[in-house]
Amino acid sequence: MSDTELATAQGRFTIAAAGPADGPLVLLLHGYPQSRHSWRRQVPALGAAGYRAVAPDQRGYSPGVRPDPARGLEPYSVDRLVQDVLDLADAAAGPGRPFHLVGHDWGGHVAWVTAHRHPGRVRSLAVLSRPHPAAFRRAYRENADDQQHRSRHHRMFHDPATGPLLLEDGARRLRARLAEQGVPAAAVAEYLSVLGEPAALEAALAWYRAAGSLT
């Protein structure tokens, strides 16, 4: 597995990649607060199996594709995030070619929408830790299992004080949150190598802000 960049019309995405350039493309989308490093084991395994595995740091996480959210949230809309998936697939495998798509958390949401809107491009879809958007909206609305409380971080992320708070004291709160979820210290360090600077974290939070309120 190697870290490199993949150029699109929107800029250069930082990626982890493995496997033959002409192998069937598998695009792997991370969630928050993570990065391409989420797929540290899957990328080399897929590459060894003959696939072209590409795990990008997505929009805002990649320095080369990081519009300033203070100038507007439209660059972080789901429409733009879905187009990034197609742009990355075109750059990695050739224009219009079908690809396998994997997503976790926020990346899973983008993967669901991409497959719904562009079924002819997606050979297979695998989503982890993210229900179908319609199922999530229904669960939130009905709140039978306290989904509104479990999604309270969505509201918190709209507060402009959240980013600085998460990064103060050497990102103490962000480190603690990841550790509470069982993330090993080495993986926490990898994620913070991407999200540990204010511009990257504000861009990551812009995904939530661009999506608007859940209510």
Side-chain angles (χ1 to χ4, degrees), residues 9 16 19 22 26 28 35 60 82 94-95 109 122 132 164 178 181-182 200 204:
D22 60 350
V26 183
L28 302 105
S35 65
V82 168
H109 179 82
V122 179
H132 188 280
L178 287 164
Q181 296 172 349

Side-chain angles (χ1 to χ4, degrees), residues 31-194:
Y32 170 90
Q34 295 152 340
S35 65
R36 68 189 186 281
H37 301 100
S38 297
W39 311 107
R40 63 185 69 80
R41 292 183 176 86
Q42 289 78 14
V43 167
L46 286 164
Y51 293 93
R52 180 59 176 171
V54 174
D57 281 346
Q58 295 186 80
R59 172 173 294 261
Y61 295 75
S62 282
V65 191
R66 186 179 291 161
D68 183 358
R71 302 181 64 179
L73 294 173
E74 180 61 28
Y76 294 94
S77 69
V78 71
D79 291 345
R80 183 62 257 174
L81 301 174
V82 168
Q83 187 59 49
D84 283 343
V85 175
L86 302 181
D87 291 347
L88 284 161
D90 287 347
R97 293 187 62 183
F99 57 95
H100 301 281
L101 185 58
V102 182
H104 169 248
D105 184 61
W106 244 119
H109 179 82
V110 175
W112 278 119
V113 179
T114 301
H116 173 72
R117 294 183 180 178
H118 305 278
R121 294 295 306 275
V122 179
R123 284 182 169 179
S124 69
L125 176 67
V127 177
L128 297 81
S129 300
R130 185 70 184 189
H132 188 280
F136 178 78
R137 287 194 297 271
R138 182 171 62 251
Y140 187 87
R141 182 178 63 253
E142 296 175 355
N143 201 34
D145 59 354
D146 206 24
Q147 183 62 54
Q148 293 180 19
H149 177 73
R150 291 191 285 124
S151 296
R152 64 192 182 279
H153 60 284
H154 287 251
R155 294 188 295 274
M156 181 183 72
F157 290 166
H158 283 257
D159 185 340
T162 295
L165 190 67
L166 288 173
L167 290 183
E168 72 177 12
D169 299 331
R172 174 175 57 85
R173 289 178 178 83
L174 189 52
R175 291 177 187 275
R177 178 174 176 79
L178 287 164
E180 288 166 2
Q181 296 172 349
V183 179
V188 172
E190 286 179 326
Y191 298 148
L192 285 173
S193 73
V194 174

